[in-house]
Amino acid sequence: MSSVRLAAAVFAAVVVSGCTDDPTPLTNGYIKLKFVRGESQAMDPYVSTARAIVSMDYETCLRDYYDANPDAQQGGPDGGLVFGTHDDGGEAWKDRLCEDLERSQADCSIIDINQELSMGTPHLTVEYAVQGPLEGRVLLFGPLPTAVTADCQDPTVRVSPQLPTGYNGQDDQIWIAENISPISALTNQGGEVVIKAKTN
């Protein structure tokens, strides 16, 4: 077979098989959190931050989604692949959240992601190890089901006013939130939730 005919045959096989380089769309996304100093602060309150914790409450759409899809919960067979690491397979958000997906993203790693659905208001808490500056930088919060996954138009969460907070290397709480805006956010909305902090 000539090289031209061989190339044509390979091309036809690829087309017929439907092979593509496009990745599988993610079922979950994130919200961007931008950390700035509070209006009462003359100095950067984030200096020496080694650990940051943020918690968000699931609103109606996401509560309904997890109620109807227990396999997608963090402890479920599908959820384990979403919330886990690349070594677990799946979407691996424990690794993905700190993979420099956005401009001005802080240097971080994920200590823990904890989903709580059975006690109090259903919520998600993410604990970050922070390396380097945090003021003016972004951390990503998730995983959060997309509108397509949750089959609704408003997969929103609401920031818990008690968390965010930050700790230094000696585990002293060094900053808390002074103001948060907006208080609610939509998965993959693009815009940032701005956290203005003050020293504790």
Side-chain angles (χ1 to χ4, degrees):
M1 181 182 289
S2 71
S3 60
V4 172
R5 287 182 179 178
L6 178 60
V10 171
F11 176 78
V14 169
V15 170
V16 170
S17 67
C19 291
T20 176
D21 291 332
D22 293 337
T24 302
L26 295 172
T27 63
N28 282 250
Y30 56 84
I31 288 168
K32 293 184 285 185
L33 308 174
K34 185 171 184 179
F35 293 81
V36 302
R37 70 182 67 179
E39 295 176 5
S40 66
Q41 304 296 291
M43 305 292 287
D44 177 2
Y46 302 106
V47 171
S48 301
T49 299
R51 186 166 61 95
I53 304 175
V54 180
S55 185
M56 291 192 173
D57 297 336
Y58 293 123
E59 297 200 303
T60 302
C61 166
L62 295 181
R63 291 199 302 266
D64 290 347
Y65 169 73
Y66 283 116
D67 284 345
N69 297 276
D71 284 356
Q73 297 175 13
Q74 186 174 20
D78 298 330
L81 298 178
V82 169
F83 287 82
T85 67
H86 288 303
D87 289 341
D88 300 321
E91 294 188 11
W93 282 96
K94 190 171 184 182
D95 290 334
R96 190 181 294 273
L97 286 174
C98 287
E99 285 184 341
D100 199 23
L101 301 177
E102 296 284 347
R103 293 173 59 186
S104 302
Q105 193 168 340
D107 186 8
C108 69
S109 59
I110 301 300
I111 298 171
D112 189 42
I113 301 175
N114 182 55
Q115 182 183 64
E116 178 55 66
L117 300 174
S118 61
M119 297 180 63
T121 302
H123 61 274
L124 183 69
T125 302
V126 181
E127 184 174 358
Y128 307 82
V130 179
Q131 297 86 35
L134 186 56
E135 184 179 29
R137 304 298 179 95
V138 168
L139 290 175
L140 306 184
F141 183 92
L144 298 169
T146 65
V148 171
T149 300
D151 193 23
C152 69
Q153 295 181 350
D154 58 345
T156 55
V157 288
R158 178 178 291 268
V159 184
S160 169
Q162 289 78 32
L163 297 170
T165 188
Y167 299 82
N168 63 17
Q170 290 72 49
D171 213 29
D172 301 315
Q173 187 181 46
I174 58 173
W175 59 262
I176 58 175
E178 179 178 273
N179 181 267
I180 303 169
S181 181
I183 200 72
S184 292
L186 185 75
T187 305
N188 291 343
Q189 67 179 15
E192 300 155 342
V193 172
V194 178
I195 296 167
K196 295 181 178 181
K198 62 182 180 180
T199 55
N200 185 41

